[in-house]
Amino acid sequence: MAAETYIHNGPLVIGAGLAGLSVALNTAPHKTLVLAPVALGVACSSAWAQGGIAAALSDEDSPEAHARDTIAAGAGIVDELAAKTLTEMGPETVRKLNELGAPFDHNADGDFVLNREAAHGLARVARVGGDLAGKAILEAVVNAALNAKHIEIWEPAFALGLITSHEGDVIGAVVQHGERRVHVFAQAVIMASGGSGGLFAVTTNPANLRGEGMAMAALAGATIADPEFVQFHPTGLKFGLDPAPLATEALRGEGATLVDKDGVRFAFEDHPDGELAPRDIVARAVHKANASGRGAYLDCREAIGDHFPAEFPTVFASCMAQGIDPRTMPLPVAPAAHYHMGGIATDIFGHTSLKGLYAAGECASTGVHGANRLASNSLLEAAAFGERVGETAITELRTPDPANAVIPEVPPQMAGADILRLREAMSLQAGLVRDAKGLGELLGLIEELENRYPGALPLVSARLIVVSALQRKESRGSHYRSDYPLPSAAAKRTFTSWTHVRAPQGEFA
């Protein structure tokens, strides 16, 4: 397919979820081009987030306390500057979203309704309509973007690879815009392409999100941070659907309990906080209960009961569609891939290791989440750091030179059956419980598929995750190695590259 050339005098934003649109809303007056793979607000993780957005909004709370909880949940490798920056921005970010039209729940006195979720020291999660936070917040941001004169949206459009200069700077992207192939040159490129949950067979994320942004950046030479850390939500609804519907953590915050088939609250067997322990611990408890034959169920009958339709309409609709009434029946649950703490390494302003390339949202790794994201910090990070990245990028615009461009090869598209093989193997061997044997077998499958699909983006992101998981010979946060069940004495982040993970498999045995 012959490609057109398009020179854009302003920033290019790859992705149109909460992070991408937050970036774009903060690049005025510079003309900003946003690539939306699907209709705005559809099939992005932000829109599916249920719990809410965490911020220190009460008199009893403080950004410092929020930062402490964030650091504690991150199991020793949180970047403390990133955590401090994010939590300090939290209250103002929520207020700005509220002013933008996000219909947060408020008490009669006008204060935000706040829920408590796992590993938070107190209630600090602002919610919308019980479990509609992501959808409602994104709708407000989408409306603002559609009415912003400086924002141009290409829909449907997605990047296939990053264009670099001969010096290694990022100066644009190869873009598929409908039936057109376009070489877009831009003064700054911001990756906001979402996470990698679609690499796993059981996920709460849109199945089309397979870490492509991280892969494109890695192929261009960017440093990748912490790719082995994938968070599994403890309570995906076990209905056999792809993606798995989510039972928000706010249900447990309201008092719902995790029980086995005999009604035993098994989460207390692994942590004194039971259902409100950090997500990695609760997820492994749920996994263990299912694997042992005890079964795992979320019992909302007493804590929520008849209030379910009004308080948690999204979960209620998902359950009723499967013939399960959560007011009277426990809900079968299983862990599901939910959030990628790893991604393109950035600082708190979104700078990557490549000039001209910035990253925001789930595809970025600032270090704020460490080894285990604190519940409801994801929407906050997308909005707050999206704002910072947009404001930073427009102060550093550079004019690209198409004559000095290195155009990447267009990656092959994998057949559906091979995508399914990869996803099932990732869930089995790079899921909640990992070991060297399983990871090695998984790497062998990736290499087999690479021979058929060299440079395929899902295989690039999968290799980054698997090789880094093999190299981390300890258990920490969301990364649990059954052959190395204890954490190492030294807590270190991973910083890697595509060149490094392409080394022969034997070096990681």
Side-chain angles (χ1 to χ4, degrees), residues 270-293:
D270 294 284
H271 196 281
D273 288 341
E275 289 88 358
L276 294 179
R279 276 186 176 171
D280 62 303
I281 295 171
V282 180
R284 284 194 292 274
V286 171
H287 172 75
K288 184 169 64 175
N290 280 324
S292 68

Side-chain angles (χ1 to χ4, degrees), residues 78-353:
V78 169
D79 183 297
E80 295 194 8
L81 175 61
K84 180 174 182 288
T85 302
L86 180 68
T87 55
E88 286 178 349
M89 293 184 71
E92 185 61 22
T93 297
V94 174
R95 293 186 183 104
K96 285 180 180 178
L97 291 170
N98 193 61
E99 291 167 4
L100 209 58
F104 287 98
D105 297 345
H106 293 274
N107 295 316
D109 60 5
D111 290 341
F112 289 94
V113 172
L114 301 175
N115 276 24
R116 185 182 175 196
E117 295 186 359
H120 287 272
L122 72 174
R124 68 162 63 92
V125 180
R127 65 184 198 177
V128 180
D131 59 11
L132 299 171
K135 181 175 184 292
I137 290 169
L138 192 61
E139 283 178 355
V141 173
V142 165
N143 289 335
L146 291 173
N147 289 303
K149 294 181 179 179
H150 72 286
I151 296 177
E152 177 183 1
I153 298 169
W154 284 7
E155 181 186 281
F158 54 91
L160 297 168
L162 295 175
I163 300 172
T164 57
S165 69
H166 283 93
E167 294 73 33
D169 301 349
V170 174
I171 57 175
V174 178
V175 175
Q176 189 69 36
H177 182 202
E179 299 301 316
R180 302 164 55 210
R181 180 75 50 77
V182 189
H183 294 164
V184 177
F185 293 89
Q187 294 178 322
V189 178
I190 299 97
M191 189 67 75
S193 55
S196 60
L199 285 174
F200 296 83
V202 183
T203 179
T204 64
N205 297 166
N208 62 313
L209 297 181
R210 303 186 188 110
E212 289 87 351
M214 178 176 72
M216 285 185 272
L219 291 173
T223 298
I224 304 301
D226 302 329
E228 67 270 36
F229 291 109
V230 178
Q231 185 175 76
F232 293 81
H233 198 287
T235 53
L237 290 168
K238 195 178 177 182
F239 294 157
L241 300 178
D242 182 21
L246 177 66
T248 173
E249 199 152 287
L251 290 163
R252 283 176 280 136
E254 291 291 299
T257 58
L258 286 167
V259 297
D260 64 14
K261 62 184 180 182
D262 297 319
V264 176
R265 291 178 66 182
F266 58 81
F268 285 95
E269 297 168 10
D270 294 284
H271 196 281
D273 288 341
E275 289 88 358
L276 294 179
R279 276 186 176 171
D280 62 303
I281 295 171
V282 180
R284 284 194 292 274
V286 171
H287 172 75
K288 184 169 64 175
N290 280 324
S292 68
R294 296 170 65 181
Y297 301 86
L298 186 65
D299 189 347
C300 309
R301 292 174 294 181
E302 184 174 339
I304 316 296
D306 291 340
H307 300 290
F308 217 117
E311 293 291 324
F312 299 98
T314 304
V315 182
F316 184 75
S318 296
C319 293
M320 295 299 285
Q322 300 302 311
I324 294 178
D325 188 338
R327 295 169 295 190
T328 60
M329 304 165 68
L331 312 179
V333 292
H338 186 59
Y339 190 86
H340 196 187
M341 279 77 73
I344 308 163
T346 74
D347 63 12
I348 58 173
F349 297 98
H351 297 111
T352 71
S353 63

Side-chain angles (χ1 to χ4, degrees), residues 341-380:
M341 279 77 73
I344 308 163
T346 74
D347 63 12
I348 58 173
F349 297 98
H351 297 111
T352 71
S353 63
L354 303 179
K355 288 183 180 178
L357 178 66
Y358 305 78
E362 193 173 348
C363 72
S365 182
T366 62
V368 73
H369 303 303
N372 192 35
R373 176 176 65 87
L374 184 66
S376 291
N377 269 356
S378 53
L379 291 180
L380 176 62

